[in-house]
Amino acid sequence: MAYREFVSLIHKSTPRDYLARVTQRDKAEVAELAIKYDYDYWDGSRETGYGGYRYDGRWRKVADAMASAYGLEPGMRVLDVGSGKGFLLHDLRESVPGIEVAGIDISAYGVAHTMDDVKPFCRVGTAAEL
């Protein structure tokens, strides 16, 4: 299957000063916090992770592009490895009503804070456990 890239639809739409962000604070200290994939990573400051990873609808562009590229239809199933808080899964369900979704993430915090409508379909684990 050919490589397809969807995330740039949202990542390239926002200007970022990566260098300023990574030099703001000791990189080793930040890595120690981020690698736990808990509050600091998801909802802490921008220095240690996403800086408050809240649903804002931006993943809908990605969901729509994926649905179109793969011909997703109701009844089909999608697994999101690294589902985080479930934003892409939520938007896939809106983009393709009737699609079945599942998510897995190594972050217990991320899964615990997954959007309510997709939380029943997500669990903590690794791809190796699938």
Side-chain angles (χ1 to χ4, degrees), residues 83-129:
S83 58
K85 290 183 167 185
F87 300 162
L88 177 58
L89 294 175
H90 168 82
D91 285 352
L92 276 168
R93 289 183 69 197
E94 286 196 346
S95 182
V96 185
I99 195 168
E100 295 180 36
V101 299
I104 187 168
D105 200 286
I106 63 170
S107 171
Y109 181 92
V111 172
H113 292 86
T114 293
M115 297 184 75
D116 289 340
D117 68 314
V118 294
K119 190 178 279 194
F121 314 114
C122 296
R123 70 180 180 93
V124 178
T126 67
E129 297 170 351

Side-chain angles (χ1 to χ4, degrees), residues 21-121:
R21 187 167 152 206
V22 298
T23 58
Q24 224 171 351
R25 194 165 160 188
D26 179 64
K27 188 71 173 159
E29 177 190 345
V30 169
E32 287 285 325
L33 291 171
I35 197 86
K36 296 175 185 175
Y37 300 110
D38 60 9
Y39 173 83
D40 288 309
Y41 180 76
W42 294 106
D43 292 322
S45 75
R46 287 289 287 165
E47 294 173 351
T48 59
Y50 284 106
Y53 194 52
R54 294 171 196 79
Y55 180 76
D56 61 8
R58 78 178 72 179
W59 288 97
R60 181 61 188 264
K61 288 181 198 176
V62 174
D64 290 345
M66 291 174 83
S68 176
Y70 296 116
L72 298 179
E73 297 177 359
M76 289 182 164
R77 294 181 279 177
V78 172
L79 170 64
D80 184 357
V81 177
S83 58
K85 290 183 167 185
F87 300 162
L88 177 58
L89 294 175
H90 168 82
D91 285 352
L92 276 168
R93 289 183 69 197
E94 286 196 346
S95 182
V96 185
I99 195 168
E100 295 180 36
V101 299
I104 187 168
D105 200 286
I106 63 170
S107 171
Y109 181 92
V111 172
H113 292 86
T114 293
M115 297 184 75
D116 289 340
D117 68 314
V118 294
K119 190 178 279 194
F121 314 114

